[in-house]
Amino acid sequence: MANVKFFSGKSLPLEMHKVRIVQKLNLPPVEKRQFLMNEAGNNTFLLQNRDVFMDMLTDSGVNAMSDLQQAAMLRADDAYAGSETYNRMVTKVREIFGMEYFLPVHQGRAAENILATALVKPGDVVPMNFHFTTTKAHITRMGGSVEELVIPEALEPINDCPFKGNFDIPRLEALIQKVGPEHIPFVRIEAGTNLIGGQPLSLQNMREVSAVCKKYNIRLMLDASLLQDNLYFIKAREEACKNMTIREITAEISALMDIIYFSARKFGFARGGGISMRHQDDELRMKEFIPLYEGFLTYGGMSVREMEAIVVGLDESMDEDIISQGPLFIQYMANELHKRGVPVILPAGGLGCHLNASAFLEHVPHEQYPAGALAAALYIASGIRGMERGTLSEQRNEDGSERYAELELLRLAMPRRVYTLSQVEYAIDRVEWLYNNRHLIGGLNFVEEPSVLRFFFGRLEPIGDWQDKLVAKFREDFGDSL
């Protein structure tokens, strides 16, 4: 990786690219932002992009493409069947992951649908380091259940553990012995655990999980959607891997797995996805679902232009200079906020900077959704759209009671190659101001609550007039500033 030091002694992340296409941004006045937030049901998913200044909702499908990706899109072969674009994509995926069999899908949750439909039956248990919302929903839809087996350090907001996404190996083996390997269709590893701060797991831990799976003859599956961040962290933080290339680390990880699926909206800087398999019987079991749910076997619901971009993007995901920028920008933002006393998840993971909403809003109880309230407050204060990753993102228990999240987080995602350091500094400034005025922020109540994946399109209202007070304080401190 490029090692660039500043003569001043400052430690700043440096963009290893130049910007050649720009998009104009809009920052509505604070009073308008309050109105828009309530029009959107205090759910940042329901905001219109034209009303968002910095879109830090997700890094899924919003990463900037490179010049080489955009150029590659022009040679797409749009044949319905037998496309040369597909041939190029499957060749590249085989090169990266070393697996013979591949099925294309339009994004990661489409892969989860097919995997759950093909492999999970009622009563099955799927162990994983930590769940993702759509993964869990697909497994429970098929009558299965999820067991989270991440190490205890993962749920501590701040500690020195470099790999908080690691599996607790003794708990994994104990679970297999308890339920029986015949009731475990696969063990799922999530690289860069999304809901606990984008925390990575080590190559050594993956080896240990693989050894347990081989002992009991259980499939090992990797969700590689956030793999690029995890690859960077392995090289940067795992002593035994410091002299390995990103491709070598990827090959070692792949050799441990039976199935690897990914969303190219994250891993590959484009929009699509796929499932790679080591064994033909797994491919045959899932193959029939591609035409049923996705499209034909040589495009899987993807645009061929996007497939060409993925081919280039997968190569770029093996470039340390490219994949390091996200983690370095996130680390900078998290460390700067920590210096200012703002509670964040440390060490910084991938995907985005995660604010610890439970500590940020200690006075807002779980049942009033502190992470969701913080997301609404931040938009009002800044025009920044983040994503709630707390109790709102959970499903209710069968009896209708809330399942409170282990961590109440507001994720400020860092789309790759999109924002400059000055924009990151703006975000830091507004978060710090909000923390200094946190006593003004209250909770939220549901007014429309879907039964599944409610965080996507549920609508809420503020409890009391706290948003009016926040706007008044903003005007007092910032005057006529946007």
Side-chain angles (χ1 to χ4, degrees), residues 47 76 91 103 110 114-115 143 152 165 174 187 196 237 263 272 281 304 311 337 358 408 423 445 460 463 471:
L47 288 166
T91 298
L103 296 173
I114 289 168
L115 289 161
V187 172
I196 56 173
R237 297 179 182 177
S263 168
D281 57 342
V304 288
V311 174
L337 287 171
S358 294
E408 288 281 345
Q423 290 168 322
N445 274 332
L460 303 100
I463 298 171
V471 170

Side-chain angles (χ1 to χ4, degrees), residues 434-473:
L434 199 60
Y435 183 65
N436 290 339
N437 293 281
R438 61 193 180 278
H439 62 281
L440 297 176
I441 304 171
L444 301 173
N445 274 332
F446 265 110
V447 292
E448 295 178 19
E449 182 178 357
S451 59
V452 179
L453 298 177
R454 59 187 182 172
F455 67 94
F456 275 134
F457 45 91
R459 302 180 71 86
L460 303 100
E461 63 183 2
I463 298 171
D465 62 351
W466 64 264
Q467 294 184 351
D468 294 330
K469 294 175 181 176
L470 191 68
V471 170
K473 180 60 174 170

Side-chain angles (χ1 to χ4, degrees), residues 155-399:
L155 303 181
E156 298 172 4
I158 296 178
N159 58 38
D160 295 328
C161 180
F163 294 106
K164 291 163 77 172
N166 277 357
F167 260 89
D168 188 322
I169 301 300
R171 288 175 62 207
L172 173 61
E173 188 145 17
L175 177 69
I176 294 171
Q177 292 173 355
K178 177 183 176 182
V179 305
E182 68 276 14
H183 297 299
I184 298 178
F186 54 85
V187 172
R188 172 182 173 270
I189 290 176
E190 183 175 312
T193 43
N194 192 310
L195 296 181
I196 56 173
Q199 297 294 321
L201 70 165
S202 68
L203 176 56
Q204 180 56 35
N205 187 252
M206 292 188 222
R207 290 180 180 132
E208 292 167 2
V209 175
S210 175
V212 172
C213 288
K214 284 181 168 58
K215 177 179 177 180
Y216 294 97
N217 195 29
I218 298 172
R219 291 182 195 86
L220 182 56
M221 181 185 299
L222 175 68
D223 179 348
S225 301
L226 295 173
L227 181 61
Q228 62 187 31
D229 291 342
N230 210 128
L231 290 168
Y232 167 77
F233 287 124
I234 287 173
K235 182 168 176 61
R237 297 179 182 177
E238 194 164 356
E239 190 61 39
C241 301
K242 288 189 182 298
N243 294 322
M244 296 173 66
T245 67
I246 297 299
R247 283 184 181 270
E248 288 169 343
I249 296 169
T250 304
E252 288 234 10
I253 291 172
S254 302
L256 302 172
M257 306 299 160
D258 298 298
I259 297 174
I260 297 176
Y261 74 93
F262 65 98
S263 168
R265 297 175 72 88
K266 301 179 181 70
F267 186 61
F269 308 107
R271 296 161 190 84
I275 308 170
S276 289
M277 293 142 290
R278 190 168 304 283
H279 307 292
Q280 188 177 26
D281 57 342
D282 283 330
E283 186 224 20
L284 293 174
R285 188 177 303 197
M286 287 183 268
K287 196 173 190 176
E288 64 191 66
F289 295 115
I290 301 298
L292 183 62
Y293 293 128
E294 295 296 296
F296 192 62
L297 293 169
T298 55
Y299 72 95
M302 284 183 279
S303 155
V304 288
R305 288 168 59 83
E306 297 287 351
M307 292 170 71
E308 293 285 5
I310 291 168
V311 174
V312 177
L314 289 174
D315 265 335
E316 293 179 349
S317 297
M318 297 293 104
D319 184 329
E320 190 179 350
D321 281 333
I322 289 175
I323 66 172
S324 65
Q325 187 196 329
L328 290 174
F329 266 51
I330 293 163
Q331 176 181 288
Y332 176 81
M333 184 174 183
N335 289 345
E336 287 298 310
L337 287 171
H338 180 64
K339 289 177 189 176
R340 292 160 168 77
V342 179
V344 294
I345 298 299
L346 292 177
L351 204 161
C353 175
H354 292 75
L355 307 184
N356 179 2
S358 294
F360 202 115
L361 301 179
E362 290 181 308
H363 57 286
V364 178
H366 269 298
E367 61 269 20
Q368 294 182 13
Y369 311 115
L374 184 56
L378 181 61
Y379 174 75
I380 292 169
S382 65
I384 296 170
R385 172 161 62 172
M387 186 190 294
E388 190 274 356
R389 299 278 71 174
T391 298
L392 272 178
S393 294
E394 297 289 345
Q395 295 178 197
R396 286 187 181 268
N397 298 315
E398 290 185 5
D399 63 2

Side-chain angles (χ1 to χ4, degrees), residues 42-231:
N42 288 277
N43 183 342
T44 55
F45 275 98
L46 302 182
L47 288 166
Q48 298 301 304
N49 187 55
R50 63 177 175 264
D51 300 320
V52 173
F53 178 59
M54 288 182 69
D55 194 357
M56 305 182 84
L57 183 79
T58 182
D59 68 339
S60 178
V62 294
N63 299 299
M65 285 188 182
S66 68
D67 53 350
L68 296 180
Q69 284 184 288
Q70 294 190 36
M73 294 172 81
L74 296 176
R75 69 170 182 168
D77 175 3
D78 62 358
Y80 186 91
S83 165
E84 281 304 310
T85 290
Y86 170 79
N87 292 335
R88 283 190 282 271
M89 182 172 180
V90 74
T91 298
K92 181 57 63 178
V93 172
R94 284 172 179 159
E95 174 193 320
I96 298 291
F97 292 137
M99 295 184 177
E100 177 64 23
Y101 305 100
F102 176 74
L103 296 173
V105 293
H106 77 273
Q107 66 181 84
R109 74 191 53 162
E112 293 169 347
N113 172 45
I114 289 168
L115 289 161
T117 302
L119 301 178
V120 178
K121 62 185 186 299
D124 279 349
V125 177
V126 178
M128 53 185 69
N129 48 348
F130 211 79
H131 82 279
F132 184 60
T133 48
T134 55
T135 320
K136 183 176 181 178
H138 282 300
I139 290 169
T140 56
R141 175 180 62 84
M142 298 305 299
S145 62
V146 165
E147 287 287 337
E148 295 166 342
L149 302 175
V150 74
I151 58 174
E153 293 91 330
L155 303 181
E156 298 172 4
I158 296 178
N159 58 38
D160 295 328
C161 180
F163 294 106
K164 291 163 77 172
N166 277 357
F167 260 89
D168 188 322
I169 301 300
R171 288 175 62 207
L172 173 61
E173 188 145 17
L175 177 69
I176 294 171
Q177 292 173 355
K178 177 183 176 182
V179 305
E182 68 276 14
H183 297 299
I184 298 178
F186 54 85
V187 172
R188 172 182 173 270
I189 290 176
E190 183 175 312
T193 43
N194 192 310
L195 296 181
I196 56 173
Q199 297 294 321
L201 70 165
S202 68
L203 176 56
Q204 180 56 35
N205 187 252
M206 292 188 222
R207 290 180 180 132
E208 292 167 2
V209 175
S210 175
V212 172
C213 288
K214 284 181 168 58
K215 177 179 177 180
Y216 294 97
N217 195 29
I218 298 172
R219 291 182 195 86
L220 182 56
M221 181 185 299
L222 175 68
D223 179 348
S225 301
L226 295 173
L227 181 61
Q228 62 187 31
D229 291 342
N230 210 128
L231 290 168

